[in-house]
Amino acid sequence: MSADGRDVTSDLTVVHLVRHGEVHNPDGVLYGRREGYHLSELGRRMADRVAEHLRGRDIAYVVSSPLERAQETAEPIAKAHGLDLATDPRLLEAENVFEGKTFGVGDGALRKPGNWKHLTNPFKPSWGEPYVEQVVRMMSAVEAARDAARGHEAVAVSHQLPIWIVRSFAEKRRLWHDPRRRQCTLASLTSFTFQGDKLVSVGYSEPARDLVPAHLLAGAKPVKGASKAFGA
């Protein structure tokens, strides 16, 4: 209760930004915004785990990126709460000039001199959608989800880099970073809590951590021949 007797918990809204589950990607390419990349069998188990984790929560709105892997992660969550699944293009993966290329350890696109011109400015970054533009569209999507679920909770399924960038902005960290250090593993939740329109906290959880391959966890060392699912 507030000093004047109001129930301030009714002003609270939580938006859970969910990273999609593992994708079937045997060639180890950076699939980016390409269509046709679906969840793997393991990825579907991850999606079911997230849905189970959120089953008892007050979810009033579920939205996802238009890409298949995001929608397939969101579907069991929406179904568990009897909700229709909305889509929002602002939740899309970041644009990247290396889309469609491989990024395996020692044999990927970064070894080719013709690609080096795209690596001149890691602070922007020069190889893809500027971090600032990602912040603008992702915050707009988060606020839209908040408005759709006022006083309740919303789920918005997106992709690793946009989620990490908007979290970094919210927590007042620099936007440029080491991709290996992103705390945004597969099927993780980055939860924004608002009181009214004001963001009051950011939380993080990994309900499917035990299902995530060790080399895909934050800070893991690259493994030759194992895709890191860059840009996922």
Side-chain angles (χ1 to χ4, degrees), residues 36-126:
Y37 284 88
H38 297 266
L39 293 184
S40 65
E41 180 81 19
L42 178 59
R44 293 184 181 277
R45 289 172 58 199
M46 292 177 181
D48 289 340
R49 176 71 65 82
V50 175
E52 183 60 32
H53 175 75
L54 293 171
R55 185 176 296 276
R57 304 298 291 261
D58 184 22
I59 307 297
Y61 182 67
V62 182
V63 63
S64 85
S65 154
L67 294 172
E68 294 100 325
R69 58 191 186 271
Q71 293 193 55
E72 290 165 359
T73 301
E75 283 166 356
I77 302 170
K79 182 178 179 180
H81 293 273
L83 298 171
D84 292 330
L85 174 60
T87 58
D88 188 336
R90 292 172 293 188
L91 295 169
L92 272 169
E93 174 61 287
E95 292 180 326
N96 194 308
V97 298
F98 294 117
E99 185 177 299
K101 297 181 171 62
T102 59
F103 273 78
V105 177
D107 63 355
L110 299 184
R111 294 189 63 186
K112 300 176 181 179
N115 290 330
W116 295 350
K117 63 186 178 183
H118 299 299
L119 305 175
T120 56
N121 185 357
F123 306 105
K124 186 179 180 180
S126 53

Side-chain angles (χ1 to χ4, degrees), residues 2 9 20 28 33 36 49 74 82 99 113 126 132-133 135 138 141 156 184 198 206-207 219 221-222 228:
S2 67
T9 60
H20 61 76
R33 294 183 173 185
R49 176 71 65 82
E99 185 177 299
S126 53
V132 172
E133 292 183 10
V135 168
M138 286 294 290
C184 187
K198 181 181 180 182
E206 297 177 348
K221 293 182 180 180
K228 283 287 287 182

Side-chain angles (χ1 to χ4, degrees), residues 17-25 31 37-51 53 69-70 73 77 93 157-161 163-164 167 179-180 182-190 204-220 226-232:
L17 283 172
V18 177
R19 184 185 172 194
H20 61 76
E22 185 191 60
V23 174
H24 180 65
N25 182 21
Y31 34 81
Y37 284 88
H38 297 266
L39 293 184
S40 65
E41 180 81 19
L42 178 59
R44 293 184 181 277
R45 289 172 58 199
M46 292 177 181
D48 289 340
R49 176 71 65 82
V50 175
H53 175 75
R69 58 191 186 271
T73 301
I77 302 170
E93 174 61 287
V157 182
S158 186
H159 308 268
Q160 185 192 58
L161 178 55
I163 294 174
W164 179 248
R167 177 183 172 185
R180 297 169 297 182
R182 296 172 189 159
Q183 189 184 40
C184 187
T185 195
L186 292 164
S188 61
L189 278 70
T190 300
Y204 178 77
S205 59
E206 297 177 348
R209 183 180 177 86
D210 60 303
L211 299 177
V212 178
H215 71 280
L216 294 179
L217 294 170
S227 168
K228 283 287 287 182
F230 284 104

Side-chain angles (χ1 to χ4, degrees), residues 4 113-114 142 160 168 173 178 229:
D4 61 3
V142 168
Q160 185 192 58
S168 296
R173 286 194 304 273
D178 181 345

